[in-house]
Protein backbone atom coordinates (compact mmCIF):
# COMPACT_ATOMS: atom_id res chain seq x y z
CA UNK A 1 0.00 0.00 0.00
CA UNK A 2 2.91 2.33 0.77
CA UNK A 3 4.08 2.14 -2.86
CA UNK A 4 0.59 3.00 -4.14
CA UNK A 5 0.61 6.24 -2.14
CA UNK A 6 4.11 7.36 -3.19
CA UNK A 7 4.34 9.80 -6.12
CA UNK A 8 5.46 8.14 -9.36
CA UNK A 9 8.77 9.47 -10.74
CA UNK A 10 9.28 7.27 -13.80
CA UNK A 11 12.43 9.16 -14.75
CA UNK A 12 13.54 9.44 -11.09
CA UNK A 13 13.43 13.22 -11.57
CA UNK A 14 14.03 15.09 -8.36
CA UNK A 15 15.04 11.91 -6.53
CA UNK A 16 18.36 12.28 -4.66
CA UNK A 17 20.07 8.90 -4.28
CA UNK A 18 23.61 9.90 -3.33
CA UNK A 19 25.82 12.52 -1.77
CA UNK A 20 28.78 13.16 -4.02
CA UNK A 21 31.93 15.24 -4.01
CA UNK A 22 32.46 14.64 -7.71
CA UNK A 23 30.25 17.05 -9.64
CA UNK A 24 27.27 19.33 -9.46
CA UNK A 25 24.94 20.16 -12.33
CA UNK A 26 23.13 23.48 -11.81
CA UNK A 27 20.37 23.27 -14.38
CA UNK A 28 18.87 26.68 -13.66
CA UNK A 29 22.07 28.70 -13.95
CA UNK A 30 23.76 26.45 -16.48
CA UNK A 31 26.82 25.62 -14.42
CA UNK A 32 28.80 22.42 -14.08
CA UNK A 33 31.21 22.05 -11.17
CA UNK A 34 33.76 19.24 -11.30
CA UNK A 35 35.07 18.53 -7.78
CA UNK A 36 35.05 22.23 -6.93
CA UNK A 37 36.15 23.54 -10.34
CA UNK A 38 33.91 25.29 -12.83
CA UNK A 39 34.09 23.32 -16.08
CA UNK A 40 34.52 26.50 -18.10
CA UNK A 41 37.65 27.35 -16.11
CA UNK A 42 39.04 23.82 -16.06
CA UNK A 43 38.60 22.66 -19.65
CA UNK A 44 39.96 24.41 -22.70
CA UNK A 45 41.40 27.74 -21.57
CA UNK A 46 42.11 26.15 -18.17
CA UNK A 47 44.41 23.71 -19.94
CA UNK A 48 43.50 20.65 -17.88
CA UNK A 49 44.35 17.31 -19.46
CA UNK A 50 42.48 14.03 -19.12
CA UNK A 51 45.14 12.94 -16.63
CA UNK A 52 44.48 16.09 -14.57
CA UNK A 53 40.77 15.40 -14.32
CA UNK A 54 41.46 11.76 -13.40
CA UNK A 55 43.64 13.05 -10.54
CA UNK A 56 40.89 15.46 -9.55
CA UNK A 57 38.07 12.90 -9.58
CA UNK A 58 40.04 9.96 -8.22
CA UNK A 59 42.14 11.86 -5.69
CA UNK A 60 40.04 14.91 -4.82
CA UNK A 61 42.48 17.61 -6.00
CA UNK A 62 44.21 18.60 -9.22
CA UNK A 63 47.49 16.67 -9.35
CA UNK A 64 50.90 18.31 -9.09
CA UNK A 65 53.56 17.62 -11.71
CA UNK A 66 54.85 14.37 -10.17
CA UNK A 67 51.40 12.98 -9.54
CA UNK A 68 50.21 13.93 -13.02
CA UNK A 69 53.15 12.03 -14.48
CA UNK A 70 52.35 9.00 -12.29
CA UNK A 71 48.73 9.03 -13.51
CA UNK A 72 49.86 9.47 -17.12
CA UNK A 73 52.26 6.53 -16.81
CA UNK A 74 49.62 4.31 -15.15
CA UNK A 75 47.07 5.03 -17.88
CA UNK A 76 49.75 4.45 -20.55
CA UNK A 77 50.50 1.12 -18.89
CA UNK A 78 46.76 0.36 -19.06
CA UNK A 79 46.82 1.05 -22.81
CA UNK A 80 49.82 -1.24 -23.29
CA UNK A 81 48.20 -4.07 -21.32
CA UNK A 82 44.94 -3.72 -23.23
CA UNK A 83 46.78 -3.75 -26.55
CA UNK A 84 48.56 -6.96 -25.50
CA UNK A 85 45.11 -8.41 -24.73
CA UNK A 86 43.70 -7.73 -28.22
CA UNK A 87 44.53 -11.21 -29.47
CA UNK A 88 42.69 -12.78 -26.53
CA UNK A 89 39.34 -11.01 -26.57
CA UNK A 90 37.75 -13.26 -29.19
CA UNK A 91 35.56 -11.51 -31.72
CA UNK A 92 34.70 -8.59 -29.42
CA UNK A 93 36.03 -5.99 -31.84
CA UNK A 94 34.22 -7.43 -34.86
CA UNK A 95 30.90 -6.01 -33.63
CA UNK A 96 29.38 -3.58 -36.13
CA UNK A 97 28.58 -1.06 -33.42
CA UNK A 98 31.48 0.55 -31.57
CA UNK A 99 29.69 0.49 -28.21
CA UNK A 100 28.82 -3.19 -28.59
CA UNK A 101 32.51 -3.82 -29.27
CA UNK A 102 33.62 -1.74 -26.31
CA UNK A 103 31.19 -3.47 -23.96
CA UNK A 104 32.37 -6.92 -25.07
CA UNK A 105 36.07 -5.98 -24.94
CA UNK A 106 35.93 -4.35 -21.50
CA UNK A 107 34.25 -7.48 -20.14
CA UNK A 108 37.58 -9.26 -20.68
CA UNK A 109 39.42 -7.09 -18.14
CA UNK A 110 40.12 -8.43 -14.66
CA UNK A 111 37.02 -7.77 -12.57
CA UNK A 112 38.84 -5.44 -10.18
CA UNK A 113 41.10 -3.68 -12.68
CA UNK A 114 42.12 -0.29 -11.20
CA UNK A 115 40.77 2.97 -12.69
CA UNK A 116 43.92 3.80 -14.68
CA UNK A 117 43.90 0.33 -16.26
CA UNK A 118 40.22 0.67 -17.19
CA UNK A 119 40.73 4.16 -18.64
CA UNK A 120 43.72 3.04 -20.70
CA UNK A 121 41.88 -0.06 -21.90
CA UNK A 122 38.76 1.83 -23.03
CA UNK A 123 40.84 4.19 -25.17
CA UNK A 124 42.81 1.29 -26.66
CA UNK A 125 39.76 -0.88 -27.40
CA UNK A 126 37.80 2.01 -28.91
CA UNK A 127 40.69 3.02 -31.16
CA UNK A 128 41.39 -0.60 -32.18
CA UNK A 129 37.71 -1.06 -33.07
CA UNK A 130 37.78 2.05 -35.28
CA UNK A 131 40.89 0.82 -37.09
CA UNK A 132 39.37 -2.60 -37.64
CA UNK A 133 36.13 -1.06 -38.88
CA UNK A 134 38.19 0.92 -41.39
CA UNK A 135 39.92 -2.28 -42.54
CA UNK A 136 43.23 -1.28 -40.94
CA UNK A 137 45.48 -2.95 -38.36
CA UNK A 138 45.33 -1.58 -34.80
CA UNK A 139 48.04 0.92 -33.87
CA UNK A 140 50.13 0.07 -30.80
CA UNK A 141 50.01 2.66 -28.01
CA UNK A 142 52.96 4.98 -27.39
CA UNK A 143 53.85 4.86 -23.67
CA UNK A 144 55.45 8.30 -23.82
CA UNK A 145 52.25 10.14 -24.78
CA UNK A 146 49.35 11.44 -22.74
CA UNK A 147 46.03 9.78 -23.40
CA UNK A 148 44.53 12.44 -25.68
CA UNK A 149 47.47 12.47 -28.11
CA UNK A 150 47.76 8.68 -28.12
CA UNK A 151 44.03 8.10 -28.58
CA UNK A 152 43.95 10.29 -31.69
CA UNK A 153 47.10 8.59 -32.96
CA UNK A 154 45.75 5.07 -32.37
CA UNK A 155 42.28 5.81 -33.76
CA UNK A 156 43.35 7.72 -36.88
CA UNK A 157 46.68 6.08 -37.58
CA UNK A 158 48.25 9.55 -37.78
CA UNK A 159 50.00 11.54 -35.05
CA UNK A 160 48.04 14.36 -33.44
CA UNK A 161 49.27 17.94 -33.39
CA UNK A 162 49.55 19.56 -29.96
CA UNK A 163 46.54 21.72 -30.83
CA UNK A 164 44.46 18.62 -31.63
CA UNK A 165 45.55 16.77 -28.47
CA UNK A 166 44.76 19.86 -26.43
CA UNK A 167 41.22 20.11 -27.81
CA UNK A 168 40.59 16.41 -27.30
CA UNK A 169 41.65 17.03 -23.70
CA UNK A 170 39.11 19.86 -23.60
CA UNK A 171 36.44 17.38 -24.67
CA UNK A 172 37.49 14.56 -22.34
CA UNK A 173 37.66 16.88 -19.31
CA UNK A 174 34.31 18.45 -20.22
CA UNK A 175 32.50 15.10 -20.33
CA UNK A 176 34.43 13.41 -17.50
CA UNK A 177 31.56 13.60 -15.02
CA UNK A 178 28.04 14.98 -14.89
CA UNK A 179 26.09 14.33 -11.73
CA UNK A 180 23.75 11.35 -11.59
CA UNK A 181 23.50 10.83 -15.36
CA UNK A 182 22.08 7.53 -16.59
CA UNK A 183 25.37 5.68 -17.18
CA UNK A 184 26.84 6.81 -13.86
CA UNK A 185 23.66 5.78 -12.11
CA UNK A 186 23.84 2.38 -13.82
CA UNK A 187 27.42 1.97 -12.56
CA UNK A 188 26.36 2.95 -9.04
CA UNK A 189 23.39 0.54 -9.02
CA UNK A 190 25.63 -2.36 -9.98
CA UNK A 191 28.25 -1.30 -7.45
CA UNK A 192 25.62 -0.99 -4.72
CA UNK A 193 24.92 -4.72 -4.96
CA UNK A 194 28.53 -5.46 -3.99
CA UNK A 195 29.45 -6.40 -7.55
CA UNK A 196 32.81 -5.71 -9.19
CA UNK A 197 34.15 -2.63 -10.98
CA UNK A 198 34.15 -4.14 -14.48
CA UNK A 199 30.52 -5.25 -14.16
CA UNK A 200 29.68 -1.66 -13.20
CA UNK A 201 31.61 -0.20 -16.15
CA UNK A 202 30.04 -2.67 -18.59
CA UNK A 203 26.58 -1.62 -17.35
CA UNK A 204 27.56 2.03 -17.74
CA UNK A 205 28.69 1.46 -21.34
CA UNK A 206 25.32 -0.14 -22.06
CA UNK A 207 23.50 2.91 -20.68
CA UNK A 208 25.75 5.38 -22.50
CA UNK A 209 25.05 3.70 -25.84
CA UNK A 210 21.43 4.88 -25.98
CA UNK A 211 20.51 7.79 -28.28
CA UNK A 212 19.03 9.77 -25.38
CA UNK A 213 22.42 9.69 -23.62
CA UNK A 214 25.75 9.17 -25.39
CA UNK A 215 24.40 7.99 -28.72
CA UNK A 216 23.34 11.45 -29.89
CA UNK A 217 26.45 13.01 -31.50
CA UNK A 218 26.62 10.70 -34.54
CA UNK A 219 23.00 11.56 -35.47
CA UNK A 220 23.80 15.28 -34.88
CA UNK A 221 26.44 15.07 -37.59
CA UNK A 222 23.99 13.22 -39.85
CA UNK A 223 21.58 16.11 -39.30
CA UNK A 224 24.20 18.72 -40.20
CA UNK A 225 25.09 16.74 -43.32
CA UNK A 226 21.44 16.41 -44.31
CA UNK A 227 20.77 20.12 -43.88
CA UNK A 228 23.97 21.05 -45.68
CA UNK A 229 23.11 18.70 -48.55
CA UNK A 230 19.47 19.82 -48.73
CA UNK A 231 20.73 23.41 -48.91
CA UNK A 232 22.84 22.44 -51.90
CA UNK A 233 26.10 22.68 -49.95
CA UNK A 234 28.86 20.14 -49.85
CA UNK A 235 28.40 19.35 -46.18
CA UNK A 236 28.31 15.60 -46.59
CA UNK A 237 31.64 13.97 -46.03
CA UNK A 238 32.72 15.82 -42.91
CA UNK A 239 35.05 18.67 -42.21
CA UNK A 240 37.88 17.00 -44.04
CA UNK A 241 35.82 17.15 -47.21
CA UNK A 242 35.37 20.84 -46.72
CA UNK A 243 31.60 20.77 -46.20
CA UNK A 244 29.36 23.06 -44.28
CA UNK A 245 28.95 26.79 -44.06
CA UNK A 246 25.92 28.89 -43.27
CA UNK A 247 22.96 27.27 -45.10
CA UNK A 248 20.64 29.42 -47.24
CA UNK A 249 17.94 31.16 -45.21
CA UNK A 250 15.12 28.84 -44.23
CA UNK A 251 16.73 25.50 -45.10
CA UNK A 252 17.65 24.57 -41.51
CA UNK A 253 14.18 25.68 -40.33
CA UNK A 254 12.49 23.55 -42.98
CA UNK A 255 14.53 20.49 -42.10
CA UNK A 256 13.94 20.85 -38.37
CA UNK A 257 10.20 21.42 -38.82
CA UNK A 258 9.93 18.32 -41.01
CA UNK A 259 11.65 16.23 -38.33
CA UNK A 260 9.37 17.52 -35.61
CA UNK A 261 6.29 17.01 -37.80
CA UNK A 262 7.39 13.39 -38.29
CA UNK A 263 7.47 13.01 -34.50
CA UNK A 264 11.24 12.77 -34.27
CA UNK A 265 13.46 14.49 -31.72
CA UNK A 266 16.21 16.88 -32.69
CA UNK A 267 19.40 15.25 -31.52
CA UNK A 268 21.74 17.41 -29.46
CA UNK A 269 18.86 19.54 -28.16
CA UNK A 270 17.17 19.38 -24.76
CA UNK A 271 18.29 18.12 -21.39
CA UNK A 272 16.73 16.58 -18.32
CA UNK A 273 18.42 19.00 -15.92
CA UNK A 274 19.47 22.14 -17.86
CA UNK A 275 16.83 24.80 -18.37
CA UNK A 276 19.40 27.04 -20.09
CA UNK A 277 22.05 26.21 -22.66
CA UNK A 278 24.30 23.38 -21.51
CA UNK A 279 27.55 25.09 -20.37
CA UNK A 280 29.53 22.28 -21.95
CA UNK A 281 28.24 23.30 -25.38
CA UNK A 282 29.99 26.66 -24.94
CA UNK A 283 33.26 25.01 -23.88
CA UNK A 284 33.26 22.74 -26.92
CA UNK A 285 32.20 25.55 -29.25
CA UNK A 286 35.27 27.52 -28.16
CA UNK A 287 37.46 24.46 -28.75
CA UNK A 288 36.17 24.23 -32.33
CA UNK A 289 36.83 27.96 -32.81
CA UNK A 290 40.44 27.49 -31.67
CA UNK A 291 40.89 24.52 -34.00
CA UNK A 292 39.36 26.46 -36.88
CA UNK A 293 41.86 29.27 -36.24
CA UNK A 294 44.81 26.86 -36.44
CA UNK A 295 43.56 24.65 -39.27
CA UNK A 296 41.08 27.05 -40.86
CA UNK A 297 38.70 26.46 -43.76
CA UNK A 298 36.44 23.46 -43.43
CA UNK A 299 36.28 23.46 -39.65
CA UNK A 300 35.08 27.07 -39.58
CA UNK A 301 32.47 26.33 -42.23
CA UNK A 302 31.11 23.37 -40.29
CA UNK A 303 30.93 25.50 -37.16
CA UNK A 304 28.92 28.16 -39.02
CA UNK A 305 26.50 25.50 -40.23
CA UNK A 306 26.15 24.08 -36.72
CA UNK A 307 25.41 27.51 -35.26
CA UNK A 308 22.73 28.16 -37.87
CA UNK A 309 21.11 24.79 -37.19
CA UNK A 310 21.24 25.37 -33.44
CA UNK A 311 19.42 28.71 -33.89
CA UNK A 312 16.79 27.10 -36.11
CA UNK A 313 16.26 24.14 -33.78
CA UNK A 314 16.06 26.32 -30.71
CA UNK A 315 13.44 28.58 -32.31
CA UNK A 316 11.35 25.65 -33.53
CA UNK A 317 11.46 23.94 -30.13
CA UNK A 318 10.62 27.21 -28.35
CA UNK A 319 7.53 27.56 -30.53
CA UNK A 320 6.45 23.99 -29.77
CA UNK A 321 7.31 23.97 -26.08
CA UNK A 322 7.09 27.57 -24.86
CA UNK A 323 7.19 26.44 -21.21
CA UNK A 324 10.01 23.93 -21.53
CA UNK A 325 13.36 25.41 -22.63
CA UNK A 326 15.03 22.96 -25.04
CA UNK A 327 18.49 24.31 -25.84
CA UNK A 328 21.68 22.79 -27.23
CA UNK A 329 23.26 20.12 -25.07
CA UNK A 330 26.83 18.83 -24.95
CA UNK A 331 26.27 16.41 -27.83
CA UNK A 332 25.53 19.14 -30.34
CA UNK A 333 29.06 20.54 -30.44
CA UNK A 334 30.63 17.20 -29.53
CA UNK A 335 29.68 16.09 -33.02
CA UNK A 336 31.38 19.08 -34.64
CA UNK A 337 34.48 18.91 -32.46
CA UNK A 338 35.14 15.17 -32.81
CA UNK A 339 34.56 15.45 -36.55
CA UNK A 340 37.05 18.33 -36.72
CA UNK A 341 39.54 16.11 -34.88
CA UNK A 342 39.24 13.55 -37.66
CA UNK A 343 37.41 10.86 -35.69
CA UNK A 344 34.73 8.88 -37.56
CA UNK A 345 31.17 9.45 -36.35
CA UNK A 346 30.80 5.74 -35.59
CA UNK A 347 33.42 6.31 -32.85
CA UNK A 348 31.76 9.30 -31.17
CA UNK A 349 29.87 7.38 -28.46
CA UNK A 350 32.91 5.27 -27.61
CA UNK A 351 34.98 8.47 -27.40
CA UNK A 352 32.43 9.76 -24.89
CA UNK A 353 33.17 6.61 -22.85
CA UNK A 354 36.92 7.38 -23.07
CA UNK A 355 36.20 10.59 -21.11
CA UNK A 356 33.29 9.52 -18.90
CA UNK A 357 35.15 6.50 -17.54
CA UNK A 358 37.02 8.95 -15.27
CA UNK A 359 33.71 9.77 -13.57
CA UNK A 360 32.42 6.20 -13.58
CA UNK A 361 35.48 4.95 -11.70
CA UNK A 362 35.23 7.76 -9.14
CA UNK A 363 31.53 7.04 -8.58
CA UNK A 364 32.17 3.31 -8.19
CA UNK A 365 34.62 4.16 -5.39
CA UNK A 366 32.22 6.64 -3.80
CA UNK A 367 29.30 4.19 -3.99
CA UNK A 368 31.38 1.49 -2.32
CA UNK A 369 32.06 3.87 0.56
CA UNK A 370 28.34 4.66 0.81
CA UNK A 371 27.74 0.92 1.05
CA UNK A 372 23.99 0.96 0.59
CA UNK A 373 21.99 -1.16 -1.86
CA UNK A 374 20.08 1.00 -4.39
CA UNK A 375 16.68 -0.54 -4.66
CA UNK A 376 13.70 1.70 -5.51
CA UNK A 377 10.07 0.61 -5.53
CA UNK A 378 7.54 0.07 -8.27
CA UNK A 379 3.79 0.35 -8.31
CA UNK A 380 2.08 -2.88 -9.32
CA UNK A 381 -0.73 -2.24 -11.81
CA UNK A 382 -1.35 -5.84 -12.90
CA UNK A 383 -4.37 -7.86 -11.81
CA UNK A 384 -4.51 -10.47 -9.04
CA UNK A 385 -5.62 -13.99 -9.89
CA UNK A 386 -7.57 -15.79 -7.19
CA UNK A 387 -5.44 -18.19 -5.20
CA UNK A 388 -5.96 -21.80 -6.30
CA UNK A 389 -6.86 -22.87 -2.79
CA UNK A 390 -9.60 -20.24 -2.55
CA UNK A 391 -13.02 -21.93 -2.98
CA UNK A 392 -15.37 -20.39 -5.57
CA UNK A 393 -17.31 -17.61 -3.97
CA UNK A 394 -14.45 -16.74 -1.65
CA UNK A 395 -13.66 -17.77 1.91
CA UNK A 396 -16.51 -18.30 4.35
N1 LIG B 1 13.52 17.35 -29.85
C1 LIG B 1 12.19 17.48 -29.89
N2 LIG B 1 11.40 17.45 -28.80
C2 LIG B 1 12.01 17.29 -27.62
C3 LIG B 1 13.40 17.16 -27.50
C4 LIG B 1 14.17 17.20 -28.67
N3 LIG B 1 15.49 17.07 -28.63
N4 LIG B 1 13.72 17.02 -26.19
C5 LIG B 1 12.56 17.04 -25.52
N5 LIG B 1 11.53 17.21 -26.38
C6 LIG B 1 10.11 17.31 -26.05
C7 LIG B 1 9.54 15.93 -25.73
O1 LIG B 1 9.05 15.31 -26.88
C8 LIG B 1 8.45 16.28 -24.75
O2 LIG B 1 7.33 16.73 -25.48
P1 LIG B 1 5.83 16.37 -25.01
O3 LIG B 1 5.70 16.96 -23.64
O4 LIG B 1 4.99 17.03 -26.05
O5 LIG B 1 5.76 14.88 -25.01
C9 LIG B 1 9.01 17.48 -23.99
O6 LIG B 1 10.00 18.07 -24.85
C10 LIG B 1 9.66 17.10 -22.69
O7 LIG B 1 10.58 16.06 -22.96
P2 LIG B 1 10.97 14.91 -21.94
O8 LIG B 1 11.07 13.64 -22.70
O9 LIG B 1 10.09 14.93 -20.74
O10 LIG B 1 12.37 15.39 -21.49
P3 LIG B 1 13.45 14.52 -20.79
O11 LIG B 1 13.97 15.28 -19.65
O12 LIG B 1 12.95 13.16 -20.50
O13 LIG B 1 14.49 14.37 -21.98
C11 LIG B 1 16.41 14.30 -23.26
C12 LIG B 1 15.78 14.84 -21.98
C13 LIG B 1 17.87 14.67 -23.31
C14 LIG B 1 16.29 12.77 -23.26
C15 LIG B 1 15.65 14.89 -24.48
O14 LIG B 1 15.73 16.30 -24.47
C16 LIG B 1 16.12 14.32 -25.80
O15 LIG B 1 15.64 13.26 -26.21
N6 LIG B 1 17.07 15.00 -26.50
C17 LIG B 1 17.59 14.49 -27.74
C18 LIG B 1 18.66 13.43 -27.48
C19 LIG B 1 19.95 14.06 -26.97
O16 LIG B 1 20.42 15.06 -27.47
N7 LIG B 1 20.53 13.38 -25.97
C20 LIG B 1 21.77 13.82 -25.36
C21 LIG B 1 21.52 14.36 -24.00
S1 LIG B 1 22.99 15.07 -23.29
Amino acid sequence: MKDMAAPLASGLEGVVVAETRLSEVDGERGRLTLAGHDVEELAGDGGATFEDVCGLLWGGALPGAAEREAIRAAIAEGRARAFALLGRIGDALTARDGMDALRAAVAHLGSEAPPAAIAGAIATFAAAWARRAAGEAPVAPDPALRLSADYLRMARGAAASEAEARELDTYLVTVSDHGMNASTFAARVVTSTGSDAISAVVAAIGALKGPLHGGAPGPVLDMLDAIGAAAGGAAAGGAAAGGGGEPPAGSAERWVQAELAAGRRIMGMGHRIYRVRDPRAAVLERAIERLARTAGGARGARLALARAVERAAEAALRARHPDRPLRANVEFYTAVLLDALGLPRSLFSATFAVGRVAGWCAHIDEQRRAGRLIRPSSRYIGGVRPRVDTPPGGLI
Side-chain angles (χ1 to χ4, degrees):
M1 284 313 287
K2 190 164 145 279
D3 293 344
M4 291 301 283
L8 184 68
S10 57
L12 293 185
E13 45 274 81
V15 176
V16 178
V17 296
E19 287 189 319
T20 182
R21 295 180 187 282
L22 300 172
S23 60
E24 190 197 23
V25 182
D26 182 339
E28 299 299 325
R29 290 189 299 158
R31 289 191 63 174
L32 168 61
T33 306
L34 292 169
H37 298 260
D38 191 296
V39 71
E40 304 200 35
E41 288 171 11
L42 194 64
D45 292 334
T49 63
F50 178 70
E51 283 78 2
D52 287 324
V53 87
C54 287
L56 179 64
L57 294 172
W58 301 344
L62 281 173
E67 198 192 339
R68 179 190 298 118
E69 172 50 24
I71 295 168
R72 193 206 61 74
I75 295 175
E77 169 73 15
R79 294 198 298 276
R81 283 176 184 269
F83 192 80
L85 206 62
L86 286 184
R88 286 182 280 134
I89 59 173
D91 59 2
L93 297 185
T94 63
R96 280 174 60 87
D97 182 277
M99 293 297 272
D100 290 347
L102 195 57
R103 195 184 57 218
V106 168
H108 285 80
L109 298 176
S111 60
E112 284 305 344
I118 301 174
I122 286 192
T124 304
F125 292 150
W129 174 82
R131 294 285 294 169
R132 198 182 182 288
E136 310 276 359
V139 175
D142 181 342
L145 295 178
R146 68 185 195 270
L147 181 131
S148 59
D150 209 19
Y151 180 63
L152 286 173
R153 193 184 134 271
M154 290 191 294
R156 307 185 313 191
S161 67
E162 178 51 32
E164 289 175 326
R166 181 191 134 115
E167 300 313 348
L168 184 64
D169 273 319
T170 302
Y171 171 73
L172 298 173
V173 170
T174 300
V175 302
S176 61
D177 197 44
H178 201 241
M180 199 51 65
N181 63 88
S183 58
T184 295
F185 182 57
R188 288 190 78 128
V189 169
V190 172
T191 304
S192 84
T193 69
S195 188
D196 59 274
I198 290 303
S199 295
V201 170
V202 167
I205 292 170
L208 188 70
K209 178 186 172 189
L212 302 189
H213 190 6
V220 168
L221 206 57
D222 295 340
M223 168 174 71
L224 297 181
D225 283 350
I227 293 172
E246 181 99 20
S251 60
E253 286 80 357
R254 276 193 297 281
W255 194 91
V256 167
Q257 292 293 1
E259 284 295 289
L260 293 174
R264 288 190 284 270
R265 292 186 176 205
I266 309 302
M267 292 291 118
M269 301 297 295
H271 199 271
R272 172 60 63 81
I273 307 287
Y274 291 119
R275 292 295 169 265
V276 292
R277 194 170 187 250
D278 186 333
R280 299 169 298 173
V283 175
L284 301 187
E285 202 182 353
R286 282 198 292 278
I288 303 160
E289 274 171 7
R290 283 191 296 267
L291 270 180
R293 275 202 296 276
T294 54
R299 286 160 169 168
R302 179 56 71 95
L303 180 58
L305 172 65
R307 284 174 168 153
V309 172
E310 181 191 357
R311 282 195 300 275
E314 201 182 304
L317 289 168
R318 196 183 313 116
R320 279 192 174 234
H321 300 277
D323 301 326
R324 165 75 192 240
L326 295 166
R327 312 270 314 263
N329 63 49
V330 67
E331 307 291 21
F332 198 89
Y333 287 98
T334 289
V336 185
L337 176 58
L338 298 187
D339 181 57
L341 288 171
L343 296 176
R345 72 192 72 193
S346 56
L347 192 60
F348 289 178
S349 300
T351 305
F352 194 163
V354 173
R356 183 55 59 85
V357 67
W360 292 337
C361 290
H363 279 273
I364 289 168
D365 183 54
E366 201 172 62
Q367 184 62 39
R368 280 190 175 149
R369 291 171 201 273
R372 180 132 174 97
L373 175 70
I374 298 174
R375 202 295 189 194
S377 303
S378 51
R379 181 180 299 161
Y380 178 64
I381 56 166
V384 181
R385 291 166 61 87
R387 288 174 58 136
V388 285
D389 55 355
T390 303
L395 292 169
I396 304 166

